[in-house]
Every structure is written in structure tokens, then in C-alpha cells.
Amino acid sequence: MKKYITGLLATCLTALAVLVMSSCSHDDAVDANQLLEVKSVLPTKVMEGQVVTITGTGLDGATSVVFPGNVAVNNINKLGNDYMTVTTPAGIAAGGGAIIVEANGESAEAPMRLTVGDPAPLRVAPLDQPIKINECVEVYGKDLEFMTKAYFPGADGHEVVVNANLFRRKATGALSIYSPMGVKAGLAQVVLEDCSGKKYSLPEVTLSDEVSGGTEETGGERYVPIWQDDVYIYDWANWQYLSSDQLNLEGIQLREGLMMRLTFDNPDGASVCVCDANWGTPNVDGQGNNTVWVAAGTTELEFPISQGMVETLTAGGGIIIGGGNYTLKKIELFREYPTLWSGEYTTGWWWYLPASELDLSGITPEAGQIIRFTFAHHDAPQTFCLCDGWWGAPYIRDGGESDNNIVLSAGEDFLEFEISEGMAATMNGGSETALIIGGDITITKIQIKTD
């Protein structure tokens, strides 16, 4: 009997202990969930008007967000206990700093610092030929990711507005903006507007009212779809593992830096994260991070693939897509123009480029095709001169001492023009001198643009 009572007592004590532990554990979980903590802030480079996403815990009680320079914002879009957004105010400290979230008399500082963007469009291309409808005005500078609109002069006297979600490319150092229907042909100044409402007038370009062609498959660009579907990525727990069997990589030469583009539905703003199948992290945001916040209405994201992603895909691995609050629809890879030569060669007077150093395995140069020379970045004007192997002078553009001897502006890192009949003949002729190149510029790549 005594043994029975002792056993019963032990059972009761055990049950009581479990009950107490469960209660404490539950209370601890609730307390931990309500603890005010900031875990991440995206993006980490901001300016007035930029939407910032803050993740952490206890955020549903937030009453204000304090930006660097002690600038407080009380208009907060509270999306939940662990996720909220706020718009960057005017007047934040130019030197940047940390965000502080205040809630219920408490405060929590973000573990990362913000830097402040200062957009500066510096150069526009192409300047040597009219830009047709559906072709791109290319803008180069710094902090261009904050641009939200482009204004083109319209044929009807009104401006034609192109929103950022329709830009061909949007990155911190470069924008590519489609010339829209309805533009006024002739010399024009395109105007950019950033998220704060500030406007920037660009140098003059020549617009054409002709329409550039393109197929539905490529959209007039040189992208190839490798995956298409409709997958809703609702939160960070909903990772999408796309295996190599789901990706169509046939005919694509993978290399580090090749551009990848994601297309998605994004009505409310979203976080987008990309990894290779080994959880390697490509530079998605242009600042070394594989996660980026995209504002509501932005439906495309482009970034260069990493060497780790190249190795993973080449070995038969796939891609991991994460983040939250968007529907992934398409993944594409850039289909490069054939490269005839790549390296790093400072020309001097002269460089006799032999045909044996040109890779003509994928193309036969023809008169009228567009050839593209890419140069190492230069912050001062540089000269460039080109002749065919017989010292014939192709027409490059107006300027310089002659049509084939020009001065490249500071930062003018590439040049495109039509191949002449002499160039086509000497490049295809197998001679020791396919092209004669002079000047004081460093050439890194020669390509031919094909349809």
C-alpha cells in the first residue's frame, strides 16, 4: 500500500512539473515574441522617399522610427509583429547611421548602419545614333537605383512618362530606359525623377519615332527564359527550390557576371532573395547582398550571377528563391552577343590585331553589322582610332581628327558602329592584320551584335 501511495505521489509531482514547465515555456515564448528587437533593415542605402523594410520582433507596438540625425517618423505601415515598412523622411544625416525603433517606452537599434544615397547621372549613350522606340537610353552615374520615373518629350506636346517598373535595367551605376511610343523625334533631353521628387535633365540624345523590332520570345532584348511558372512566395519560410531539371540551360554559356533577370507580380512591395543550390549568395542588390527590397509596382530584378552559381548550375544544381510577398513568374539569363576578342590591351600607336586572335567560330562578320568595343573605365578623355587591315577608314562617328579617329569622353566605356566592307573582308580574310587600332585607350572586349 505504501509503495502504491509513493508511486501515485511521484506521478502527481511529475505531472505538476510538466504542467509548470509547459506554462513557463509558453510564457517565455510569448515574452520572447513580444521582445522589441530589430534584426534587419532593407535597403541599407536610402534617401528621402525610399521605402524601408524593418524585420524583428515586437514591432506591432512600434510608435516611431528614428532615422540618423534624430529624424523621427510616426507614419508607420505595421504589417505584423515581425515586419513593417516606413518611408525615409527628408533631413536625415548625410553621414548615415543606425535606425532606432521605439515602442511602448522601449527602443531598439538596428544592427546595421544606413548610408545615404546622392544620385548623380553623369553620362548618356548612345550619342552617335538615333534611339528608336523600344531601344534604350543608357544612363551611367552613381546611386541611380533611386530613380522612379523618366520623362520623354511627346509628339503631342505632352511628356511621355516611363515608370521604373518598365525600365530595361535599374542598378546603382546604370539605367537602361526604353524609349516609349509617342515620343517626339529629334534632339531631346530626357528627364529623370528620383523617389524624393527631384528631377535631373540628361544630356541631349537623338530620338527616332521609328519602332525597333523584336520577337515575343526575346522582347527585343537578348534574354532567354530558363524557367516560367506562377509561384507565390508569401514569406521567408516559403523557399522555392528549383532543381536543374526545372531549368532550361540548353545553349547558354554560363560564366561569372552573366546577367540573370527575375520577373514577378509585386503589388505591395516585396523582399527578394536568391541563392544557388549550395546556399551561395550572388550580388543581388549591387552592394554585395543576396537580398533586396523592391518597391510596389517594380516587377523585374536583374543581377550578375556569381562564380558559385556558375559552378552549381554547371554541376547540375539549381537555384533557391526566397523572400516574401511576391509571385515569381519567370527567370531569364542574358544571351550575350558573340565575343570576337577579350582581354586587356592598351593600344598605343599601333596595335595590329591578327585574324588568328579573333574567335569567329560563332559568326562571320558582315558589312552593316554592329560591332561593339568595350574599354576599361577611364575618368579622362581618351583617343581611339580604327582602320581595317588595309588602312581603310570605317565611319565611327563625327568628331576627332577624322571619322575613324575620335575622342572618347570621360567614362565613355564602350563604342558601337557599323562594320565597313573593308573591315568584314580583313576580319574574314585570315590575314596577319585583321584590324589596326590606335589611340591611348585600353580595350577589354570586341563583340558583334546579331539579330
Side-chain angles (χ1 to χ4, degrees):
M1 182 68 169
K2 182 178 180 181
K3 182 177 179 181
Y4 171 76
I5 294 174
T6 301
L8 181 61
L9 180 60
T11 301
C12 292
L13 288 173
T14 300
L16 180 61
V18 170
L19 181 62
V20 170
M21 290 175 64
S22 298
S23 176
C24 290
S25 176
H26 177 72
D27 290 343
D28 288 345
V30 171
D31 291 343
N33 203 35
Q34 296 303 319
L35 178 68
L36 180 62
E37 181 183 6
V38 177
K39 295 181 178 179
S40 71
V41 176
L42 286 171
T44 55
K45 185 198 292 184
V46 300
M47 64 173 293
E48 179 188 353
Q50 171 72 47
V51 176
V52 174
T53 299
I54 302 171
T55 65
T57 56
L59 300 181
D60 55 356
T63 55
S64 66
V65 176
V66 183
F67 282 79
N70 201 32
V71 183
V73 176
N74 304 112
N75 185 16
I76 301 171
N77 183 15
K78 298 187 180 83
L79 301 178
N81 180 65
D82 57 358
Y83 185 84
M84 69 180 190
T85 62
V86 63
T87 301
T88 304
I92 64 174
I99 272 183
I100 298 173
V101 176
E102 297 178 336
N104 302 321
E106 295 182 295
S107 64
E109 183 174 297
M112 63 287 296
R113 288 178 57 85
L114 297 183
T115 57
V116 180
D118 183 20
L122 301 176
R123 183 172 67 85
V124 178
L127 298 176
D128 59 335
Q129 58 189 16
I131 302 169
K132 297 179 181 179
I133 293 168
N134 290 339
E135 292 181 339
C136 285
V137 177
E138 299 175 350
V139 185
Y140 301 89
K142 72 182 187 72
D143 296 347
L144 300 180
E145 69 268 33
F146 298 106
M147 298 301 170
T148 58
K149 294 179 181 178
Y151 297 86
F152 288 74
D156 61 358
H158 297 90
E159 291 178 316
V160 182
V161 183
V162 179
N163 293 314
N165 63 304
L166 298 177
F167 288 3
R168 159 68 177 76
R169 181 187 183 196
K170 183 177 177 181
T172 188
L175 302 176
S176 295
I177 306 166
Y178 287 121
S179 181
M181 298 291 293
V183 297
K184 181 180 179 180
L187 288 175
Q189 276 190 298
V190 179
V191 176
L192 299 182
E193 182 178 319
D194 67 27
C195 56
S196 73
K198 182 179 178 180
K199 293 186 176 181
Y200 308 77
S201 294
L202 302 178
E204 282 189 336
V205 294
T206 302
L207 299 180
S208 169
D209 54 9
E210 295 183 43
V211 179
S212 177
T215 66
E216 184 177 349
E217 179 185 1
T218 63
E221 312 158 38
R222 302 203 64 81
Y223 272 89
V224 179
I226 64 171
W227 177 91
Q228 286 182 271
D229 204 341
D230 280 282
V231 175
Y232 181 43
I233 300 177
Y234 53 86
D235 63 20
W236 283 94
N238 184 224
W239 293 97
Q240 296 299 311
Y241 301 87
L242 305 177
S243 67
S244 59
D245 293 338
Q246 297 172 274
L247 305 177
N248 179 18
L249 299 174
E250 184 178 355
I252 297 177
Q253 300 296 315
L254 296 172
R255 63 161 182 82
E256 182 180 11
L258 192 69
M259 296 299 292
M260 176 174 282
R261 180 169 70 184
L262 308 186
T263 303
F264 40 82
D265 285 340
N266 171 31
D268 303 312
S271 290
V272 180
C273 182
V274 183
C275 303
D276 60 45
N278 295 317
W279 293 98
T281 56
N283 182 6
V284 173
D285 69 346
Q287 301 174 58
N289 304 304
N290 70 319
T291 302
V292 65
W293 166 262
V294 286
T298 299
T299 58
E300 291 184 352
L301 174 64
E302 292 178 292
F303 56 91
I305 64 176
S306 63
Q307 182 59 31
M309 182 170 282
V310 172
E311 294 172 359
T312 303
L313 293 174
T314 302
I319 302 171
I320 304 171
I321 309 290
N325 207 34
Y326 66 99
T327 300
L328 182 64
K329 302 181 74 69
K330 184 162 55 176
I331 303 175
E332 298 166 283
L333 282 174
F334 189 75
R335 182 171 57 191
E336 288 191 298
Y337 295 118
T339 297
L340 306 186
W341 180 91
S342 63
E344 187 169 314
Y345 194 97
T346 303
T347 55
W349 298 91
W350 296 87
W351 176 29
Y352 300 88
L353 179 60
S356 59
E357 292 190 19
L358 298 179
D359 180 4
L360 300 178
S361 59
I363 190 169
T364 300
E366 297 177 4
Q369 289 179 322
I370 299 297
I371 193 167
R372 179 184 176 107
F373 284 77
T374 302
F375 312 107
H377 178 72
H378 49 102
D379 293 318
Q382 305 280 2
T383 57
F384 174 76
C385 183
L386 178 69
C387 300
D388 62 41
W390 302 323
W391 292 97
Y395 182 86
I396 297 176
R397 73 171 187 219
D398 295 327
E401 299 174 14
S402 66
D403 295 336
N404 71 318
N405 184 6
I406 66 170
V407 177
L408 297 161
S409 302
E412 189 175 1
D413 297 339
F414 66 88
L415 181 67
E416 295 181 350
F417 54 91
E418 289 189 2
I419 295 174
S420 67
E421 291 188 5
M423 289 174 63
T426 57
M427 283 193 288
N428 293 320
S431 68
E432 285 303 307
T433 307
L435 298 173
I436 303 171
I437 305 170
D440 57 356
I441 192 75
T442 299
I443 299 175
T444 60
K445 189 180 294 186
I446 303 173
Q447 297 170 288
I448 288 184
K449 298 177 71 172
T450 58
D451 293 329

